[in-house]
């Protein structure tokens, strides 16, 4: 989910009303405020997005979790219950939770709730499960829900249409969306990124050029981060390579592979710089390993 998380949250924040209408399946809802969703439990956890909304003339909270795949760490019903409980305790407003599954095979066994006990003791909690693969994609192309356009490739295409023709239809509708060029670039970037969950990325390269996305400040930010990560990764690999070269030359009869393995988990460049200096005067490979431990 990490590579999709930021763009999904950006879209939910930018087009909050579209996601609220999808969640409640009605146009009779208005987002009043995006809330800070950092929750202090055993450790700080940030749920996906929480909004204060006006629904049927009542102020309530809408909590949305977006899942690429099924929950692995904890069952989704327990996670949603924990989030809803924290939000209810903090804001003392009704909490309505929604889980949106992106991948076509995800969410099929999500029961949409958690319960135990009887009429005397117990608990019952329900939430909405939305699997994009079950939604009629064409109907979303025909609505004014601009923020949902990047998700249409993950929805059910019309019967009889081939994948490339369906994607082209999604791209064309997004290109003609009534938004400024920067927003359009972001929508196209999101469509390409999310669509690769279901379709071969090469299909999007045919339909969406870099020029079409580069107007997006969000896209530029992602590119810059990629460059920075590449520079950092290159620096890290250089440090590791030089450390192993020094040790091999100084101790040709000793095995340096344990050191190489220990270095795999070290990402901090300052720490690697210190180890590089230590390698030049350590009395043995074993001594350096002890230092690493």
């Amino acid at each position: 989910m990490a590579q999709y998380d930021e763009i999904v949250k950006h879209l939910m924040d930018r087009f909050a009303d579209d996601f609220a209408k999808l969640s409640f399946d009605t146009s009779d809802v208005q987002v009043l405020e995006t809330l800070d969703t950092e929750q202090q439990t055993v450790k700080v956890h940030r749920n996906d997005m929480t909004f204060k909304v006006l629904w049927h003339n009542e102020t309530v909270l809408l909590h949305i979790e977006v899942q690429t795949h099924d929950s692995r760490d904890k069952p989704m019903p327990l996670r949603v219950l924990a989030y809803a409980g924290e939000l209810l305790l903090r804001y003392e407003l009704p909490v309505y939770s929604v889980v949106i599954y992106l991948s076509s095979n995800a969410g099929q066994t999500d029961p949409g709730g958690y319960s135990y006990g009887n009429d005397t003791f117990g608990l019952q909690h329900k939430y909405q499960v939305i699997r994009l693969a079950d939604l009629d994609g064409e109907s979303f192309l025909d609505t004014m829900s601009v923020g949902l356009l990047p998700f249409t490739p993950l929805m059910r295409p019309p019967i009889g249409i081939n994948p490339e023709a369906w994607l082209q239809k999604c791209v064309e509708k997004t290109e003609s969306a009534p938004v400024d060029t920067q927003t359009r670039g972001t929508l196209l970037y999101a469509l390409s990124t999310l669509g690769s969950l279901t379709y071969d990325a090469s299909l999007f390269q045919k339909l969406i050029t870099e020029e079409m996305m580069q107007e997006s400040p969000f896209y530029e930010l992602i590119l810059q981060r990629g460059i920075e990560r590449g520079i950092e990764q290159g620096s890290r690999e250089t440090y590791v390579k030089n450390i192993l070269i020094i040790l091999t030359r100084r101790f040709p009869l000793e095995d340096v592979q344990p050191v190489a393995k220990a270095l795999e988990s070290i990402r901090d460049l300052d720490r690697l710089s210190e180890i590089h200096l230590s390698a030049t005067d350590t009395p043995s490979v074993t001594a350096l390993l002890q230092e690493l431990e």
Side-chain angles (χ1 to χ4, degrees):
M1 180 66 187
Q3 66 267 43
Y4 310 106
D5 189 64
E6 192 167 11
I7 185 63
V8 169
K9 289 185 177 181
H10 173 81
L11 292 172
M12 284 200 293
D13 188 45
R14 172 71 172 77
F15 300 98
D17 283 325
D18 290 342
F19 285 88
K21 292 173 184 176
L22 171 67
S23 299
F24 287 110
D25 193 24
T26 179
S27 59
D28 186 18
V29 59
Q30 177 188 355
V31 174
L32 304 176
E33 182 183 357
T34 301
L35 301 177
D36 175 17
T37 57
E38 188 175 273
Q39 298 184 17
Q40 186 71 46
T41 52
V42 177
K43 61 180 180 180
V44 171
H45 177 82
R46 181 175 293 277
N47 61 44
D48 279 355
M49 294 295 283
T50 302
F51 305 99
K52 183 181 290 186
V53 306
L54 187 65
W55 181 46
H56 295 319
N57 296 318
E58 180 185 11
T59 300
V60 302
L61 300 185
L62 169 62
H63 155 230
I64 303 177
E65 286 291 313
V66 178
Q67 287 287 123
T68 308
H69 304 289
D70 291 320
S71 180
R72 295 185 178 91
D73 296 334
K74 292 289 183 180
M76 183 54 66
L78 295 183
R79 287 177 52 189
V80 176
L81 176 61
Y83 301 152
E86 287 287 337
L87 291 168
L88 181 61
L89 185 64
R90 178 184 297 189
Y91 295 101
E92 298 184 15
L93 287 171
V95 179
Y96 294 88
S97 297
V98 178
V99 181
I100 301 176
Y101 288 96
L102 303 182
S103 297
S104 59
N105 60 348
Q108 298 181 74
T109 60
D110 190 327
Y114 179 76
S115 63
Y116 63 84
N118 50 41
D119 292 339
T120 305
F121 294 103
L123 175 147
Q124 184 177 42
H125 178 253
K126 295 182 179 179
Y127 57 90
Q128 175 83 310
V129 175
I130 298 177
R131 297 181 66 254
L132 293 185
D134 293 337
L135 302 181
D136 176 20
E138 194 161 37
S139 67
F140 283 87
L141 291 184
D142 296 333
T143 68
M144 293 302 292
S145 299
V146 173
L148 299 177
L149 288 175
F151 298 86
T152 51
L154 305 178
M155 300 177 186
R156 189 176 67 249
I159 297 174
I161 190 171
N162 66 60
E164 187 163 352
W166 168 237
L167 293 182
Q168 183 170 354
K169 196 169 185 178
C170 295
V171 170
E172 289 174 350
K173 192 69 175 182
T174 305
E175 283 188 281
S176 63
V179 294
D180 57 75
T181 56
Q182 290 187 342
T183 301
R184 184 174 296 107
T186 297
L187 292 173
L188 288 168
Y189 169 72
L191 189 150
S192 174
T193 301
L194 295 171
S196 63
L197 278 167
T198 299
Y199 299 95
D200 191 307
S202 63
L203 288 175
F204 296 97
Q205 294 171 2
K206 293 180 183 179
L207 300 170
I208 304 176
T209 64
E210 186 173 347
E211 288 73 20
M212 295 165 69
M213 298 183 289
Q214 64 185 7
E215 292 292 337
S216 166
F218 187 88
Y219 177 63
E220 289 297 322
L221 176 63
I222 295 298
L223 284 182
Q224 183 59 38
R225 287 179 180 171
I227 292 171
E228 291 172 355
R229 282 196 295 268
I231 293 172
E232 182 175 336
Q233 180 63 21
S235 300
R236 181 190 172 279
E237 291 175 353
T238 299
Y239 270 126
V240 171
K241 179 181 177 181
N242 288 340
I243 290 168
L244 296 177
I245 288 174
I246 290 171
L247 293 177
T248 301
R249 289 178 177 174
R250 293 190 63 212
F251 310 103
L253 300 180
E254 294 192 46
D255 182 11
V256 300
Q257 284 309 305
V259 175
K261 187 172 181 60
L263 293 175
E264 288 178 0
S265 61
I266 300 176
R267 293 289 180 268
D268 184 73
L269 295 182
D270 290 336
R271 175 60 178 143
L272 287 171
S273 178
E274 294 172 359
I275 297 169
H276 181 259
L277 291 175
S278 296
T280 62
D281 57 15
T282 183
S284 67
V285 172
T286 301
L288 184 64
L289 272 173
Q290 290 175 345
E291 180 182 331
L292 293 180
E293 293 171 356

